[in-house]
């Protein structure tokens, strides 16, 4: 059963930061969630409850997706896979370049992080245009893994990020 008060509690702690990281971008700052251990735990348990028995691995997108992803993986008793910005992983990687609202970037994942056919839950903090999430899904596809779902805390609906990751099932705690 989903925690019905989570969206309001997340909304209450969310801070909009204009012009970050560049002019014209409204950044959704969720770092306050980590200062509230109770709220963070509720979020982790809520996400884990939706995926118990349905996934083999949890992957988190740098940086806040790392935190939630690792916590959800721990809650589920599963391995965690970090998806990092280019040049941050020390061994052989798959890489995917993608476009952001304000430029381009690349994400990487270790080549041995996901095995063929493994079911992967992908986690990030915010879904905006979907470029980062689609690139992360592309990394899992290169390893012949299967993305079962994408979980985000906040979805910026006007930016249509779901379309970029379709047909992956997307669950967001809060839609702005």
């Amino acid at each position: 059963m989903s925690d019905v008060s989570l969206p309001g509690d997340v909304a209450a702690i969310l801070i909009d930061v204009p012009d970050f990281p560049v002019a014209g971008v409204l950044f959704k700052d969720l770092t306050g969630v980590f200062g509230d251990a109770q709220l963070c735990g509720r979020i982790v348990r809520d996400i884990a409850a939706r995926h118990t028995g349905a996934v083999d691995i949890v992957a988190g997108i740098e940086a806040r997706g790392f935190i939630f992803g690792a916590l959800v993986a721990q809650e589920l008793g599963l391995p965690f896979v970090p998806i990092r910005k280019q040049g941050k992983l020390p061994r052989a990687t798959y890489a995917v370049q993608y476009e952001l609202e304000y430029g381009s970037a690349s994400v990487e994942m270790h080549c041995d992080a996901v095995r063929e056919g493994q079911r992967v839950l992908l986690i990030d903090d915010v879904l905006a245009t979907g470029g980062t999430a689609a690139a992360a899904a592309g990394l899992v596809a290169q390893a012949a893994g299967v993305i079962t779902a994408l979980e985000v805390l906040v979805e910026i609906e006007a930016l249509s990020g779901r379309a970029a990751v379709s047909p992956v099932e997307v669950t967001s705690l809060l839609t702005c």
Side-chain angles (χ1 to χ4, degrees):
M1 181 175 203
S2 187
D3 185 337
V4 295
S5 63
L6 268 178
D9 293 344
V10 170
I13 211 161
L14 178 69
I15 298 173
D16 286 341
V17 181
D19 299 322
F20 184 83
V22 297
V25 172
L26 181 63
F27 185 81
K28 301 291 186 182
D29 184 9
L30 285 160
T31 54
V33 169
F34 305 117
D36 185 332
Q38 298 256 334
L39 176 58
C40 193
R42 287 173 47 219
I43 291 167
V44 168
R45 288 187 298 277
D46 186 70
I47 293 170
R50 277 191 289 283
H51 302 283
T52 299
V55 298
D56 303 308
I57 290 179
V58 177
I61 300 171
E62 188 170 351
R64 287 160 300 278
F66 277 9
I67 300 167
F68 288 109
L71 292 170
V72 170
Q74 179 68 34
E75 182 76 14
L76 291 170
L78 296 174
F80 172 73
V81 172
I83 295 178
R84 300 224 46 198
K85 294 174 184 169
Q86 184 176 17
K88 300 293 185 180
L89 293 172
R91 295 181 282 110
T93 61
Y94 294 117
V96 173
Q97 187 168 349
Y98 62 100
E99 297 302 313
L100 296 160
E101 304 92 305
Y102 46 86
S104 64
S106 182
V107 289
E108 297 179 337
M109 177 183 81
H110 279 131
C111 292
D112 61 357
V114 175
R115 291 188 313 274
E116 183 176 345
Q118 284 189 305
R119 302 167 299 165
V120 180
L121 169 60
L122 186 58
I123 298 180
D124 205 1
D125 62 336
V126 176
L127 178 63
T129 63
T132 307
L139 293 172
V140 172
Q142 285 183 55
V146 178
I147 296 286
T148 61
L150 168 63
E151 288 272 351
V152 296
L153 274 68
V154 174
E155 178 179 0
I156 305 171
E157 194 170 31
L159 296 178
S160 304
R162 282 178 185 254
V165 296
S166 180
V168 172
E169 173 190 333
V170 177
T171 301
S172 54
L173 292 178
L174 176 65
T175 302
C176 303

